[in-house]
């Protein structure tokens, strides 16, 4: 892949798709802290963004290292990406459909719980290492940074919306995120087999 429009579009769409879990959690956090100050909002959005940056980077390092040593493994990357993104996206779709009308409240989050939320909402981003395995280190870094920036702004928006509207939109966000991840998985798979 080159530094063209498609690279940036795919990176941004990956960020949008991966950020939907964090967006949902941000809605809940915002609803439970309606008087949340701007620095706290920055901390919460920044925590989610950090983990959404960190996990794909770790995935890229692992897959890139494996692919260097086992060249035959590279032909399976589009299939692995499709399976992982379809599984994660499907899981998000099911959760979103089950909870699309749920407005249940969650307790306010402490720092330790925020770290757990950050890891839990970003663990699926580890699989993005498979989808960007053909990138060189600089492209992988830029992709991860774009994912983090998109996540930050989506989570900040989620906190603001959560403060005003609560968690009633969380299920719809998971549905959108699931659809985006499945579509990206299909696009990567088609590109890999053609």
């Amino acid at each position: 892949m080159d530094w063209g429009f498609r690279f940036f579009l795919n990176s941004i769409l990956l960020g949008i798709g991966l950020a939907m879990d964090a967006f949902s959690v941000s809605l809940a956090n915002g609803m439970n802290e309606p008087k949340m100050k701007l620095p706290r909002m920055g901390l919460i959005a920044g925590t989610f963004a950090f983990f959404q940056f960190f996990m794909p980077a770790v995935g890229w390092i692992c897959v890139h290292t494996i692919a260097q040593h086992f060249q035959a493994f590279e032909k399976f990357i589009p299939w692995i990406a499709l399976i992982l993104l379809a599984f994660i996206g499907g899981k998000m779709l099911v959760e979103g459909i089950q909870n699309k009308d749920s407005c249940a409240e969650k307790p306010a989050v402490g720092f330790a719980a925020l770290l757990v939320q950050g890891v839990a909402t970003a663990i699926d981003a580890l699989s993005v290492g498979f989808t960007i395995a053909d990138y060189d280190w600089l492209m992988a870094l830029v992709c991860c940074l774009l994912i983090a920036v998109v996540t930050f702004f989506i989570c900040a928006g989620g906190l603001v919306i959560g403060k005003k509207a609560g968690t009633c939109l969380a299920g719809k966000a998971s549905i959108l995120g699931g659809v985006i991840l499945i579509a990206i998985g299909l696009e990567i798979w088609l590109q890999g087999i053609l």
Side-chain angles (χ1 to χ4, degrees):
M1 176 161 295
D2 58 10
W3 288 94
F5 174 77
R6 205 166 125 244
F7 165 76
F8 290 100
L9 179 64
N10 277 351
S11 298
I12 290 168
L13 289 175
L14 275 171
I16 292 169
L18 292 170
M20 288 301 118
D21 281 346
F23 175 76
S24 299
V25 175
S26 296
L27 282 170
N29 290 342
M31 190 193 91
N32 291 310
E33 291 184 60
K35 296 182 195 243
M36 186 185 303
K37 304 283 187 217
L38 199 55
R40 176 136 173 88
M41 292 173 70
L43 173 69
I44 291 172
T47 299
F48 288 127
F50 169 77
F51 283 108
Q52 292 289 3
F53 165 83
F54 180 73
M55 292 296 191
V58 168
W60 179 87
I61 290 168
C62 292
V63 172
H64 195 69
T65 303
I66 291 169
Q68 279 186 332
H69 296 294
F70 305 101
Q71 295 296 326
F73 180 74
E74 289 185 70
K75 65 183 174 186
F76 297 109
I77 289 174
W79 289 94
I80 293 168
L82 174 65
I83 291 166
L84 288 174
L85 290 173
F87 174 75
I88 294 161
K91 183 173 166 261
M92 288 175 67
L93 268 173
V94 169
E95 289 173 0
I97 291 168
Q98 289 174 343
N99 299 319
K100 72 177 180 178
D101 297 321
S102 173
C103 295
E105 293 187 24
K106 295 180 180 173
V109 63
F111 186 70
L114 178 60
L115 292 178
V116 171
Q117 286 180 352
V119 171
T121 58
I123 197 74
D124 56 345
L126 194 62
S127 68
V128 171
F130 286 105
T131 68
I132 63 173
D134 60 333
Y135 294 0
D136 63 29
W137 71 269
L138 184 59
M139 287 183 90
L141 177 66
V142 170
C143 178
C144 293
L145 285 171
L146 285 170
I147 290 169
V149 168
V150 167
T151 299
F152 181 87
F153 286 108
I154 286 175
C155 289
L159 289 165
V160 170
I161 294 168
K163 286 170 60 172
K164 295 181 187 208
T167 59
C168 293
L169 297 176
K172 292 172 183 64
S174 288
I175 292 170
L176 176 62
V179 169
I180 288 172
L181 289 179
I182 291 169
I184 291 171
L186 286 171
E187 190 265 337
I188 290 165
W189 178 73
L190 287 172
Q191 180 185 1
I193 64 167
L194 297 178

